[in-house]
Amino acid sequence: HPPPVATTKEEQKRLLENRPDQPQDPKVLRIAIIGAPNAGKSTLSNQLLGRKIFPVSKKVHTTRCKAQGVITHGDTQLIILDTPGLTNPLKAKRHKLDEAMLTDPWDSMKHADLVLVLVDVSDHWTRNSLSKEVLKCLSQFPHIPSVLVLNKVDILKKKFLLLEIATDLTEGIVNGKKLEVKSAVKQDSSSSAKLPLHATQASPPESKVPGSPCGKEKNQAQEGSGLDKSSGAGGTGTGEAQGPKHHEPEDVKDVKGWPHFQEIFMLAALRGEEVDTLKRYLLMQAKPGPWEFHSDVLTNQSPQEICDNIIREKVLEYLPLEVPYGVTQVTETWEEGECGELFIMQSLLVPRESHKRMLIGRGGKVISRIAQEAGQDLMNAFLCDVCLKLKVEVK
């Protein structure tokens, strides 16, 4: 079970300063999760961690800063860099985002051993090509191994479209081998519904390592999904040497996909489907190296940051478009009771009287719903009783 988050700033500081309690042969992997805003990066991070510490909302730019999540499993530590959605200066200005939101994803990449590129396959406008910002990011760091993660596959009614999407996003090449879509995939509703979601790209069948823990799983995934790599000569990108050249950042104008992904995963992060398959893969990718954190650490965020983010998530959820981006949060009270319960009082400052009315809602319904839901999330993060009170004032 993942450890709870510390309830006080002092306790969290002590945990972060604690020397890592690492085993004799520790392994570590730093993972940057990048993607367009609202692709599900925070949802996936929370599922991998096993506890909700990153804010999640249908509105874009819920994640405002770079934060780390820590998974300690046996002798391995995975460090997840949950980054803001990759955006451009024009959109940043529209959502009143600060400068850090444009630079943080790039900073995360500099420190990553592996990058997960998350794509929302339920969005038919964007699912067949990687965003320009994601492509720029990948072409800037071509030496960092990357993995394609197709998210929200549960929402996609026509499962056979996954093959087409995977081909577009990889330019038909995964791990230096050509992807082939077998025509044998029956496109009736029953077979497409049973299409395995973890269509992890395996190496060609003849090079299977016997006894490899993922071997069997990958084999099944390959057969069922109809994704295959041709190992015959003459196919484009059949060997690393003749593989496509890396795109320079300025070349991404007419490019849809990235031909250097090592694997493809298909999952539904919100429901937790196939997240364990991805987690096992990540644990296997870890390299020998010292841990960065004590095993009791789940995140490097302070308890107050987690609280602010979760309340802001609910405000974003229940208020119309631009209103939430103007809300300022001020924590008035943060006290621990005798039985370990947590008392939190926070003021939400809004610029206009009309915003105040919206946030309170008729008969105080909206604000009490926000407090109730945020309080429940905080209980799950801190693993203690939380009494959360919110008041709304005009700045």
Side-chain angles (χ1 to χ4, degrees), residues 51-289:
R51 208 174 284 295
K52 182 177 176 177
I53 60 161
F54 294 120
V56 176
S57 156
K58 291 186 191 77
K59 300 258 171 66
V60 295
H61 305 305
T62 311
T63 301
R64 289 293 179 116
C65 64
K66 165 179 80 205
Q68 293 180 349
V70 184
I71 299 165
T72 306
H73 185 95
D75 59 359
T76 305
Q77 195 162 77
L78 304 177
I79 298 159
I80 296 174
L81 313 166
D82 185 58
T83 54
L86 287 167
T87 189
N88 59 43
L90 194 71
K91 289 178 187 161
K93 204 171 169 190
R94 193 188 310 154
H95 288 101
K96 301 183 178 68
L97 310 177
D98 59 21
E99 198 62 32
M101 287 202 60
L102 293 170
T103 57
D104 271 355
W106 298 84
D107 289 346
S108 293
M109 288 290 285
K110 283 178 202 155
H111 304 293
D113 305 311
L114 180 78
V115 57
L116 296 185
V117 177
L118 205 59
V119 174
D120 171 3
V121 296
S122 71
D123 185 340
H124 67 279
W125 297 107
T126 59
R127 65 189 175 204
N128 285 83
S129 60
L130 296 173
S131 77
K132 294 289 165 269
E133 282 80 23
V134 167
L135 280 166
K136 258 186 228 167
C137 213
L138 289 168
S139 55
Q140 195 88 356
F141 302 93
H143 56 285
I144 301 174
S146 55
V147 168
L148 176 64
V149 180
L150 303 181
N151 189 23
K152 309 188 189 181
V153 295
D154 53 324
I155 304 173
L156 195 64
K157 298 234 177 352
K158 299 169 178 170
K159 294 288 186 277
F160 62 85
L161 284 176
L162 288 168
L163 309 178
E164 180 194 304
I165 295 166
T167 307
D168 284 346
L169 297 179
T170 59
E171 293 194 349
I173 294 165
V174 175
N175 204 12
K177 304 286 191 300
K178 188 179 174 188
L179 266 179
E180 279 193 353
V181 179
K182 292 178 187 165
S183 54
V185 177
K186 293 189 194 73
Q187 298 193 350
D188 62 63
S189 56
S190 61
S191 72
S192 63
K194 287 179 193 150
L195 218 134
L197 302 177
H198 55 283
T200 319
Q201 262 329 106
S203 45
E206 61 272 357
S207 63
K208 278 280 173 292
V209 183
S212 148
C214 286
K216 195 167 128 206
E217 202 164 64
K218 287 183 178 179
N219 246 338
Q220 291 165 347
Q222 224 179 348
E223 286 163 22
S225 68
L227 289 175
D228 189 22
K229 292 198 209 114
S230 70
S231 45
T236 40
T238 47
E240 299 285 334
Q242 317 103 291
K245 67 176 188 356
H246 288 300
H247 300 292
E248 289 308 310
E250 59 273 16
D251 292 347
V252 300
K253 253 200 334 280
D254 309 310
V255 176
K256 285 170 76 173
W258 180 247
H260 307 287
F261 287 120
Q262 297 200 336
E263 301 278 356
I264 303 173
F265 287 86
M266 302 186 186
L267 48 80
L270 190 61
R271 290 164 61 166
E273 281 177 19
E274 296 305 324
V275 173
D276 273 351
T277 308
L278 176 61
K279 192 170 176 176
R280 282 198 298 275
Y281 171 81
L282 295 173
L283 289 164
M284 284 169 66
Q285 298 308 303
K287 301 282 184 287

Side-chain angles (χ1 to χ4, degrees), residues 7 303-304 306-308 311 329-337 341-347 371 374-375 377-379 382 384-391:
T7 51
Q304 279 86 349
I306 290 172
C307 176
D308 284 356
I311 293 170
Q329 294 166 259
V330 180
T331 301
E332 313 278 359
T333 311
W334 188 287
E335 288 170 7
E336 264 194 75
E341 67 275 41
L342 200 52
F343 294 97
I344 303 168
M345 187 159 89
Q346 193 170 92
S347 293
D377 279 353
L378 292 171
M379 277 188 214
F382 299 128
C384 69
D385 286 334
V386 175
C387 176
L388 174 66
K389 294 216 162 90
L390 298 175
K391 56 181 186 177

